[in-house]
Amino acid sequence: CGVVTATSPIAITSNLVWNGSVSTDWNVPGNWLCGYVPNVNTSVQIPNVARQPVISGGTNGAVNNLVIDIGSSLTVSGNTIQISGAITNNGTFNVSSGLVTMNGSAAQTIGSNVFAGNTIRDLIINNAAGVTLSGPLNITGIVTLQSGTFSSGGNLTLLSTAAQTALISGSGTGSITGNVTMQRYLS
């Protein structure tokens, strides 16, 4: 958080740690150990504390690497989280009504069981180095391939309900490889 001076080797943890001391609002600086809200260059750790972070209003969330500890959670509802590094989820990462943007500059992987119920609403791939899906992922909204290749590995399912059928937007310059399962709701 501040200036460190040492006369012998020391280990410095560069993760910005959530403490939830003010509220559950991701965008409140007082909820972060160092008193500032993370950005795309900041690695973040969410420990098991009384108030778990929620990204619902205001500014989009942004992180480099994201670590969610055992017993902790992160909820994105009606908003976006931009991830430019890796995701390590040992707790609950709920984006069932939110958007995830994978926007790294090096290749990224979405691992198995990263998201609650393996389901998110919307996904944007904006990484020229590509994103690989290594476990099941269900989309209820829109997959947008802005740039890079999204390698599905046969793990991507576009869900369909009476209210809506998920789709892959054709608006970007990216591409998808691997099989995709597309459901079609029938009453």
Side-chain angles (χ1 to χ4, degrees):
C1 295
V3 176
V4 176
T5 304
T7 57
S8 63
I10 61 169
I12 298 174
T13 302
S14 61
N15 286 358
L16 183 59
V17 179
W18 169 267
N19 63 23
S21 62
V22 177
S23 67
T24 61
D25 189 343
W26 175 279
N27 290 307
V28 172
N31 284 323
W32 296 96
L33 189 60
C34 293
Y36 69 92
V37 177
N39 60 49
V40 294
N41 300 311
T42 311
S43 291
V44 167
Q45 180 178 2
I46 311 295
N48 185 6
V49 295
R51 292 188 191 114
Q52 296 296 309
V54 176
I55 305 170
S56 62
T59 306
N60 295 342
V63 299
N64 183 12
N65 297 314
L66 175 63
V67 176
I68 303 172
D69 290 345
I70 294 171
S72 62
S73 68
L74 171 58
T75 301
V76 181
S77 178
N79 206 326
T80 300
I81 185 162
Q82 298 175 23
I83 301 168
S84 57
I87 306 167
T88 304
N89 181 14
N90 297 307
T92 303
F93 191 7
N94 186 343
V95 196
S96 61
S97 62
L99 184 148
V100 174
T101 298
M102 302 298 287
N103 65 341
S105 56
Q108 292 176 281
T109 299
I110 300 173
S112 185
N113 299 312
V114 166
F115 302 105
N118 293 317
T119 302
I120 63 175
R121 187 186 69 203
D122 298 317
L123 176 65
I124 295 176
I125 303 299
N126 189 18
N127 182 339
V131 176
T132 300
L133 186 57
S134 66
L137 182 63
N138 303 312
I139 303 291
T140 62
I142 301 171
V143 176
T144 304
L145 305 166
Q146 286 182 345
S147 70
T149 299
F150 183 35
S151 301
S152 76
N155 294 306
L156 182 64
T157 300
L158 304 174
L159 299 179
S160 183
T161 66
Q164 170 178 327
T165 297
L167 59 93
I168 298 173
S169 169
S171 63
T173 61
S175 62
I176 190 165
T177 62
N179 291 335
V180 176
T181 300
M182 182 163 185
Q183 295 181 348
R184 186 65 184 152
Y185 175 82
L186 298 171
S187 58

